[in-house]
Amino acid sequence: MLRRFLSRVLRTYGLFLLTVALPTLLACLYFGLIASDVFISESRFVVRSPQKPAPTAIGAILQGAGFSRSQDDTYTVHDYILSRDALRELERLYQLSRAYGGNHADRISRFAGLDPDDSFEALHRYYQKRVSLEVDGVSSISVLRTSAFSAQDARQINDKLLELAEHLINQLNERGRQDMIRFAAAEVAAAEEKARAATLAVAGFRASKGIFDPERQSALQLQLVSKLQDELIATKTQLAQVRDIARDNPQIPSLLKKQETLQAEIAAEMAKVAGAGERSLSSRSAEFERLSMERAFADRQLAAAMTSLEQARNEALRKQLYLERIVQPSLPDVAVEPRRLRGVGATFLLGLVAWGILSMLIAGVREHQD
């Protein structure tokens, strides 16, 4: 009699029992008696840089290269927290494989429970399920959540991840400082080399040509020519006066000789200043001016490079990134997961959906056969 009753029940309600009742019963057993408590620790942080004044030339270059964009560095921190490097450091300090895979957790939830793979790659996949990051696009505040089977483990993991992120930010700061100063120092070294070469070129010109400053020496030569011309005018005046008094005066030949000598001397001095030959000051002045301009430009470039180096050092001290903890890692006092009633209810609803679909399919098949 009982066998016949059970057979009728299975024939009538077998599909319902298989798709709804049995999964719901298993879910009740798992969530009610087996599933381990999961604690979640939450912290909030922001990656920011201090308020900066109007960028200088070198600051604009490095800012254009993306050095001081804290929003980008926020995503850098996120990637690092979820990376294998961060997991490797946590494994070294806290042995996460044991914390997540010990017997204190149920076999379904723990690491290497149903899946016997206990490799580092499998641990990394499991770790990414236990650590989550969210960022607010408006405020740039990041929310870090870490889950573990004990409240203390969840908090320790969260706190250590923030420490690792701060260490990463410090590395970015140091790299940025070194890059800025290295770039400016290279510019100073190049400018010093150019200034040294320009100074040596001017000194070589003076040594080889025997000229210190063509412009100043030309002024001295012209002053000498002016004096000779005054003397020549005085001689011509005296010669004219002597001739007017006595044409046979014995001073006339000496005055004529003096006049010729002065004219020759004036011509020679003028040739030194503005002659057509290569030894004239005017022909050498062009080369000297070119070398002087190159030296002056090199000196100005050196001064600008040294100013940029000083600014780079100041910028390196100012343009630092900071990881500010807005909310410290919390120590949960109650397990948030698993959500047992929701899990049982979801299993029941999915079972009802599956039962309804399968019932319609079976009814359609039977109707088609009939």
Side-chain angles (χ1 to χ4, degrees):
M1 191 72 179
L2 180 60
R3 185 179 300 176
R4 186 179 303 173
F5 174 75
L6 292 176
S7 177
R8 183 180 303 174
V9 169
L10 290 176
R11 192 181 308 112
T12 306
Y13 302 104
L15 184 61
F16 179 84
L17 294 175
L18 182 63
T19 57
V20 179
L22 182 60
T24 303
L25 177 61
L26 293 177
C28 291
L29 292 175
Y30 174 72
F31 288 108
L33 301 177
I34 300 176
S36 302
D37 291 336
V38 176
F39 298 85
I40 297 179
S41 176
E42 180 178 298
S43 63
R44 296 174 184 265
F45 65 90
V46 63
V47 179
R48 66 177 182 87
S49 57
Q51 187 68 27
K52 300 176 289 297
T56 59
I58 188 170
I61 293 174
L62 292 170
Q63 184 175 359
F67 169 71
S68 61
R69 298 181 61 188
S70 58
Q71 186 68 25
D72 292 346
D73 293 298
T74 299
Y75 295 114
T76 301
V77 170
H78 288 192
D79 289 342
Y80 175 74
I81 289 176
L82 297 176
S83 68
R84 292 172 175 80
D85 292 339
L87 173 61
R88 190 173 289 108
E89 188 68 17
L90 290 174
E91 176 68 12
R92 183 181 68 83
L93 293 174
Y94 301 119
Q95 296 183 343
L96 287 189
S97 57
R98 294 184 180 178
Y100 283 140
N103 293 328
H104 55 281
D106 66 272
R107 182 170 292 275
I108 297 177
S109 300
R110 70 191 182 194
F111 168 66
L114 297 178
D115 185 0
D117 185 8
D118 59 352
S119 64
F120 185 80
E121 289 298 325
L123 179 62
H124 182 248
R125 292 192 297 269
Y126 184 88
Y127 165 78
Q128 289 183 321
K129 298 177 183 178
R130 293 298 180 182
V131 177
S132 65
L133 277 162
E134 297 177 1
V135 61
D136 186 350
V138 178
S139 62
S140 298
I141 296 177
S142 300
V143 180
L144 172 63
R145 296 185 180 92
T146 56
S147 61
F149 298 111
S150 69
Q152 192 65 30
D153 287 344
R155 182 180 183 180
Q156 285 182 349
I157 294 171
N158 199 310
D159 187 67
K160 186 59 182 179
L161 286 176
L162 290 180
E163 290 182 8
L164 294 175
E166 290 172 354
H167 180 68
L168 175 66
I169 290 296
N170 292 334
Q171 287 182 338
L172 293 176
N173 285 331
E174 183 64 24
R175 178 65 180 271
R177 283 193 293 265
Q178 294 299 328
D179 286 346
M180 293 182 72
I181 295 176
R182 188 183 302 112
F183 176 80
E187 290 294 319
V188 170
E192 286 178 346
E193 185 62 29
K194 290 181 180 179
R196 187 181 300 109
T199 302
L200 291 177
V202 173
F205 174 84
R206 288 171 174 169
S208 61
K209 304 298 183 182
I211 297 175
F212 181 78
D213 191 338
E215 184 176 354
R216 295 181 181 178
Q217 289 182 244
S218 296
L220 295 175
Q221 292 294 115
L222 291 176
Q223 289 179 3
L224 178 60
V225 169
S226 179
K227 292 180 180 180
L228 291 174
Q229 286 177 342
D230 292 340
E231 188 175 355
L232 177 60
I233 292 172
T235 301
K236 287 182 178 181
T237 302
Q238 184 181 1
L239 179 61
Q241 291 175 351
V242 170
R243 281 178 175 175
D244 289 340
I245 297 173
R247 290 185 176 274
D248 296 331
N249 194 312
Q251 292 183 354
I252 293 176
S254 62
L255 291 174
L256 290 174
K257 184 64 176 178
K258 182 178 180 181
Q259 178 180 341
E260 292 178 358
T261 302
L262 289 172
Q263 289 176 343
E265 188 68 22
I266 290 173
E269 293 299 328
M270 288 298 296
K272 292 180 181 179
V273 175
E278 295 181 356
R279 299 182 61 83
S280 65
L281 293 175
S282 60
S283 62
R284 297 178 179 180
S285 177
E287 183 179 0
F288 182 81
E289 288 295 330
R290 179 181 62 82
L291 294 176
S292 298
M293 289 180 62
E294 290 180 355
R295 184 181 64 178
F297 178 76
D299 290 340
R300 287 195 297 270
Q301 190 175 11
L302 176 59
M306 294 183 70
T307 302
S308 297
L309 177 59
E310 186 64 25
Q311 291 175 349
R313 287 171 178 166
N314 294 333
E315 293 285 344
L317 295 177
R318 269 198 308 268
K319 290 182 179 177
Q320 292 185 1
L321 296 171
Y322 299 92
L323 190 148
E324 293 288 349
R325 298 190 184 189
I326 300 176
V327 177
Q328 294 291 338
S330 60
L331 180 64
D333 56 353
V334 65
V336 178
E337 294 180 355
R339 299 183 179 180
R340 304 177 190 276
L341 293 179
R342 189 179 68 173
V344 174
T347 304
F348 177 73
L349 292 177
L350 290 176
L352 285 178
V353 172
W355 173 68
I357 294 175
L358 291 176
S359 297
M360 289 187 293
L361 290 176
I362 293 175
V365 171
R366 290 176 177 176
E367 183 178 355
H368 180 71
Q369 289 178 350
D370 294 340

